[in-house]
Amino acid sequence: NIKKTKRVVVAMSGGVDSSVAAAVCARQGYDVVGVTLQLYTNDNPSRKKGSCCAGQDIYDAKRVAEKVGIKHYVLDYEEQFKAEVINNFADSYAIGQTPIPCVRCNEKIKFGDLYETAIQLGASSLITGHYVSNKLINGERGLFRARDVTKDQSYFMFTLKKKQLEYIKFPLGDLTKSDTRKIARELGLATSDKPESQDICFVQSGSYVNLINTLKPKSNVRGNLIDTTGNVVGEHAGIMNFTIGQRRGIGYINGEPNYVIDIDHERNNVTIGPKEALAINQISLNNLNWIGPETGMADEQEIPVYVKIRSTSEPVPAIITKNKEYAKVKFKNPEYGVAPGQACVIYESQKNMARVLGGGWIIKDQTQNLN
């Protein structure tokens, strides 16, 4: 489904997915330019087997490019990545939010800076190895979940603009991971059995708290653990150690399972309580990005949709009302552990290959508890 024109730029992270995307484009006769972004310096390359965009990964991308006979460039994006992704990650945790750096990286770096670079290089398309689909529907491009829901990455792609969807292509959207590995083995690619990237690529010490302490040394301040009635029940070592819905490592035992219910960075309090106190029936989103059809989706109208409030959960039924920048989401059934700073992505249905209508960032100020 890639329009047959002369040049395409393929984002090559050094993993099997982008390697196959590049190799398939080369085999189909395009003038392929492989681009790898160096995003951070991996101080201990042997430690992080499942990282991307540093050290060994750049070498792996280069080997694949040589094997399939394409040009390959490494662009140093460390400065932009630190400014847009790593600093944002630290800032979010410091005010009691739970950030998603992968979404931020896609928005600001891969589909921001790299998108512009591909245009400057005279490419007809930017190609990536993400498991999402980009299909023409009623004369306009839409973003869709992957055929293989276990690998679907649409949750991390909701910030794409309609204009970008016209230009970016995802050739792996209809494949399973085993299909991709099979193609890689058939083509003799060095990355065919490379393990998947895991966790947050730039957190190399295994603890994000260590990273935040380095970047924002004054932000980790001791404060109170309080119960849902406001009584002080203990002390915590800093709000960045917590996320809404967390159960382990709270530092308070009273014979009952306790969960993090709320994080108040103004007062430096962490509220803990029973699971039922986590139940929420409505959330608010800001920075809404709408990429679905406009027809039948008027502002302030109630729209039945499915929403995904964390990357690991399946879409659940909800009603949204939206305007240009904000949305209110009412869940059909209560949701638990909804964390401000995470994304809420909106789908047309629950099925694989469902259309992505848009998404926004969960904000704290208007979330309403059921009890």
Side-chain angles (χ1 to χ4, degrees), residues 25-96:
C25 289
R27 198 165 60 165
Q28 290 174 354
Y30 296 104
D31 170 21
V32 180
V33 180
V35 174
T36 301
L37 304 180
Q38 171 146 347
L39 299 181
Y40 58 95
T41 303
N42 194 335
D43 302 323
N44 186 356
S46 61
R47 235 215 109 261
K48 285 289 281 188
K49 283 283 186 250
S51 62
C52 74
C53 310
Q56 178 69 35
D57 309 291
I58 292 171
Y59 172 68
D60 288 343
K62 207 169 259 316
R63 280 170 73 198
V64 168
E66 280 170 14
K67 170 85 180 169
V68 300
I70 61 172
K71 296 183 279 294
H72 179 254
Y73 300 100
V74 179
L75 304 182
D76 182 352
Y77 271 56
E78 285 199 43
E79 211 173 289
Q80 295 96 312
F81 187 72
K82 186 171 192 301
E84 295 284 5
V85 180
I86 299 178
N87 290 349
N88 174 266
F89 176 83
D91 291 346
S92 296
Y93 265 114
I95 59 166

Side-chain angles (χ1 to χ4, degrees), residues 171-191:
L172 306 190
D174 289 341
L175 302 182
T176 64
K177 187 77 178 197
S178 53
D179 292 336
T180 302
R181 288 202 186 277
K182 188 172 174 230
I183 293 168
R185 280 193 288 271
E186 283 168 1
L187 295 172
L189 304 183
T191 53

Side-chain angles (χ1 to χ4, degrees), residues 149-330:
V149 286
T150 64
K151 292 293 165 223
D152 173 51
Q153 290 172 295
S154 59
Y155 181 81
F156 302 102
M157 316 287 275
F158 78 90
T159 57
L160 281 169
K161 302 285 183 265
K162 287 185 175 181
K163 185 178 80 166
Q164 292 170 314
L165 284 175
E166 294 290 335
Y167 187 74
I168 302 167
K169 305 290 184 287
F170 308 105
L172 306 190
D174 289 341
L175 302 182
T176 64
K177 187 77 178 197
S178 53
D179 292 336
T180 302
R181 288 202 186 277
K182 188 172 174 230
I183 293 168
R185 280 193 288 271
E186 283 168 1
L187 295 172
L189 304 183
T191 53
S192 62
D193 295 312
K194 189 171 176 177
E196 300 218 38
S197 55
Q198 299 291 335
D199 303 324
I200 298 162
C201 64
F202 55 85
V203 178
Q204 292 168 44
S205 64
S207 165
Y208 71 85
V209 175
N210 294 347
L211 172 71
I212 299 166
N213 280 332
T214 307
L215 293 172
K216 298 178 79 70
K218 293 179 181 169
S219 63
N220 215 6
V221 181
R222 301 186 84 81
N224 289 326
L225 287 175
I226 61 174
D227 64 20
T228 51
T229 57
N231 296 319
V232 176
V233 295
E235 193 180 49
H236 66 75
I239 61 171
M240 68 176 68
N241 297 283
F242 300 93
T243 185
I244 304 289
Q246 178 181 329
R247 185 178 165 188
R248 296 181 188 282
I250 289 173
Y252 173 74
I253 298 167
N254 66 344
E256 302 290 324
N258 278 290
Y259 296 81
V260 175
I261 307 299
D262 185 51
I263 300 168
D264 182 346
H265 91 278
E266 302 280 341
R267 295 183 182 84
N268 202 26
N269 288 337
V270 174
T271 305
I272 61 172
K275 187 177 181 183
E276 53 268 25
L278 280 171
I280 277 182
N281 62 357
Q282 179 175 302
I283 56 172
S284 296
L285 313 180
N286 68 1
N287 297 327
L288 181 70
N289 183 48
W290 191 260
I291 50 174
E294 302 296 340
T295 324
M297 305 279 178
D299 285 354
E300 308 305 336
Q301 173 193 347
E302 292 200 335
I303 308 162
V305 293
Y306 288 82
V307 298
K308 197 166 150 110
I309 52 160
R310 61 182 71 81
S311 63
T312 52
S313 63
E314 275 301 293
V316 296
I319 300 284
I320 63 159
T321 49
K322 68 173 184 71
N323 58 28
K324 285 277 178 281
E325 285 179 36
Y326 294 94
K328 224 179 207 108
V329 179
K330 289 181 185 168

